[in-house]
Amino acid sequence: MAGAGGGNDIQWCFSQVKGAVDDDVAEDIISTVEFNHSGELLATGDKGGRVVIFQQEQENKTQTHSRGEYNVYSTFQSHEPEFDYLKSLEIEEKINKIRWLPQKNAAQFLLSTNDKTIKLWKISERDKRPEGYNLKEEDGRYRDPTTVTTLRVPVFRPMDLMVEASPRRIFANAHTYHINSISINSDYETYLSADDLRINLWHLEITDRSFNIVDIKPANMEELTEVITAAEFHPNSCNTFVYSSSKGTIRLCDMRASALCDRHSKLFEEPEDPSNRSFFSEIISSISDVKFSHSGRYMMTRDYLSVKIWDLNMENRPVETYQVHEYLRSKLCSLYENDCIFDKFECCWNGSDSVVMTGSYNNFFRMFDRNTKRDITLEASRENNKPRTVLKPRKVCASGKRKKDEISVDSLDFNKKILHTAWHPKENIIAVATTNNLYIFQDKVN
Amino acid sequence: MSQKQEAENPSEETGEEKQDTQEKEGILPERAEEAKLKAKYPSLGQKPGGSDFLMKRLQKGQKYFDSGDYNMAKAKMKNKQLPSAGPDKNSVTGDHIPTPQDLPQRKSSLVTSKLAGGQVE
């Protein structure tokens, strides 16, 4: 039943939490979370340019009531801060996105990107080392050849597991603006990178050139009205990708149609009642994330207040809309003043595309079951950190009399935001990132 | 025929009125928020949510560096004691010409991520 089941039918339990308890170090802010294709590995990137990869333990056959835990597998510095003297631009080392390649051999590969540079990292295990060299001592010192009287064949002997990360490709200098997305094509040979105004197509083997496939930069920058906010390749059709905009539209492009995909094949946009328009309308309609379903039939978008599911066959409106925190509509003024209105929340699908999840404020996160139409609000907090403790659903009281156990909108902590969440591709295991902690929750296994 | 129409009209109107009220209740929070914002910042909203935000977004990370000013400032420094950094080392603004001493350290994190150290469960 992996991946199936509703948001409410599943009982979510605390499993693990990673990170410091009391901390305000900016470098520790988690900026991306991603499971690999098997779900065995879980990668995080942070503001300090570091990547930490966790590996799920092999299931303990004797302990049937718990799945494998995630423990640190590898950690490395992916990106460094840079200063572009020519453009007078400070380039943050913050990891914006990590995307895993499907596994082809013993090693694991992932792409990590900051604002300007994408890197392909190889993560490999070493559990044997050669011993018995003729010309070298075990500690590395060279032996005097004249002292060698017999020859031996070096052999491999087991050693403690060492996990090494090495940068295999560096894809640089292709983006004038800030990279917000990377997406690996289903052909497993190419990938796209998107910045505010352009999308480029790369081959994983070739670092010195990339093809520009979308360019929405106006001839006169004064005429700029829209930027690209996210982009993704279709999971099955290697010629298809989508990109979302700050105006709430999604464009689907077919690379077979032309080399430069400035003209979309499909434009997804929900019509807006002009009488409803306000100063905030465009800002809150800006799409912060777009994700195809695993099936490839649907795509999900996240704007400030809602999650929308679109059928790729229907452009004029989403097929499902879920309100994440509608109670914030009457707080837009203060959310604009404290910049929270510009927060970029991500969203994700479960393995069977039946449930979607996204984050909110106060360390709350929400799940919507597409079949039962039920939703649930949970909290990532160290207060519930006894393993196998079932999480209690939370409720925000929008107005009026607050019931017991409800929290009022004015008490919400807007500094505690959950922007990044990830769902294991096969099982009901989720990774939820608060500002600088990573929580892992699992469904209750009886 | 005309009698029928007259009979139908009143109910139609009530229906529309109902819809109007519902819509008004729907937009009310957002419009109220907009009014609040305009009251605080009257100059805002000439271009609703448009180019200003986008331009700000595109210019993230921009720091202005003039090598001529910088070298002149460095030359001046040689003659007097290096001034201690201002109260806020992180903001170098206005007429102040940044020198290497003033710029915030841009070293990468040599410290291992806390997610990787000391698992707390």
Side-chain angles (χ1 to χ4, degrees), chain A residues 238-282:
Chain A
C238 57
N239 52 285
T240 305
F241 65 92
V242 293
Y243 67 92
S244 59
S245 85
S246 53
K247 277 189 158 175
T249 64
I250 308 102
R251 286 173 177 79
L252 183 141
C253 300
D254 186 337
M255 295 195 292
R256 297 170 302 187
S258 68
L260 190 59
C261 299
D262 277 359
R263 288 214 322 251
H264 54 262
S265 297
K266 294 196 183 188
L267 174 65
F268 297 83
E269 188 172 16
E270 184 166 25
E272 192 197 7
D273 186 347
S275 63
N276 280 347
R277 201 163 171 77
S278 76
F279 174 81
F280 304 110
S281 300
E282 191 174 306

Side-chain angles (χ1 to χ4, degrees), chain A residues 193-205:
Chain A
S193 58
D195 67 30
D196 291 315
L197 297 178
R198 298 191 177 102
I199 301 180
N200 293 330
L201 180 72
W202 301 84
H203 191 286
L204 284 164
E205 299 289 327

Side-chain angles (χ1 to χ4, degrees), chain A residues 126-368:
Chain A
R126 193 195 290 267
D127 61 358
K128 319 180 236 310
R129 65 157 180 253
E131 283 177 21
Y133 284 109
N134 291 291
L135 295 175
K136 257 199 308 190
E137 304 285 1
E138 295 309 329
D139 60 9
R141 281 180 302 147
Y142 283 98
R143 286 169 78 185
D144 182 352
T146 56
T147 63
V148 176
T149 52
T150 59
L151 289 178
R152 55 187 176 175
V153 178
V155 289
F156 276 97
R157 296 222 187 277
M159 61 179 257
D160 287 340
L161 179 68
M162 215 166 72
V163 182
E164 301 168 325
S166 59
R168 305 303 289 177
R169 306 268 187 278
I170 297 185
F171 305 91
N173 301 321
H175 286 276
T176 306
Y177 302 99
H178 300 109
I179 298 173
N180 52 57
S181 313
I182 46 175
S183 178
I184 298 168
N185 202 344
S186 52
D187 66 9
Y188 301 152
E189 285 189 351
T190 57
Y191 74 93
L192 64 76
S193 58
D195 67 30
D196 291 315
L197 297 178
R198 298 191 177 102
I199 301 180
N200 293 330
L201 180 72
W202 301 84
H203 191 286
L204 284 164
E205 299 289 327
I206 299 167
T207 58
D208 64 355
R209 85 196 80 144
S210 73
F211 287 101
N212 176 241
I213 51 177
V214 173
D215 188 339
I216 64 167
K217 183 175 179 189
N220 182 358
M221 283 298 270
E222 304 277 309
E223 292 160 26
L224 182 70
T225 55
E226 197 172 16
V227 295
I228 296 169
T229 52
E232 197 180 48
F233 263 121
H234 189 276
N236 308 315
S237 302
C238 57
N239 52 285
T240 305
F241 65 92
V242 293
Y243 67 92
S244 59
S245 85
S246 53
K247 277 189 158 175
T249 64
I250 308 102
R251 286 173 177 79
L252 183 141
C253 300
D254 186 337
M255 295 195 292
R256 297 170 302 187
S258 68
L260 190 59
C261 299
D262 277 359
R263 288 214 322 251
H264 54 262
S265 297
K266 294 196 183 188
L267 174 65
F268 297 83
E269 188 172 16
E270 184 166 25
E272 192 197 7
D273 186 347
S275 63
N276 280 347
R277 201 163 171 77
S278 76
F279 174 81
F280 304 110
S281 300
E282 191 174 306
I283 305 173
I284 63 173
S285 71
S286 175
I287 292 171
S288 48
D289 195 15
V290 64
K291 292 260 170 54
F292 277 106
S293 63
H294 293 91
S295 64
R297 165 119 191 249
Y298 299 96
M299 67 178 173
M300 164 168 56
T301 56
R302 175 70 155 97
D303 52 70
Y304 191 61
L305 297 178
S306 66
V307 160
K308 293 179 179 169
I309 312 275
W310 304 78
D311 184 325
L312 292 191
N313 297 318
M314 188 161 76
E315 298 166 62
N316 60 358
R317 59 179 169 82
V319 289
E320 295 154 42
T321 301
Y322 301 104
Q323 301 302 336
V324 182
H325 35 219
E326 180 67 13
Y327 47 78
L328 295 183
R329 202 179 283 271
S330 53
K331 299 285 169 203
L332 292 177
C333 179
S334 40
L335 292 169
Y336 175 89
E337 290 181 289
N338 62 20
D339 273 355
C340 283
I341 204 174
F342 300 105
D343 284 337
K344 296 180 179 52
F345 291 95
E346 291 175 7
C347 53
C348 61
W349 299 84
N350 73 340
S352 60
D353 298 336
S354 59
V355 185
V356 297
M357 168 168 67
T358 189
S360 178
Y361 294 105
N362 210 68
N363 282 348
F364 287 173
F365 58 100
R366 306 259 286 135
M367 288 182 190
F368 303 94

Side-chain angles (χ1 to χ4, degrees), chain A residues 408-424:
Chain A
S408 80
V409 184
D410 297 310
S411 315
L412 293 174
D413 187 343
F414 290 97
N415 290 317
K416 292 188 178 164
K417 35 194 117 183
I418 290 178
L419 303 175
H420 313 285
T421 59
W423 204 308
H424 190 288

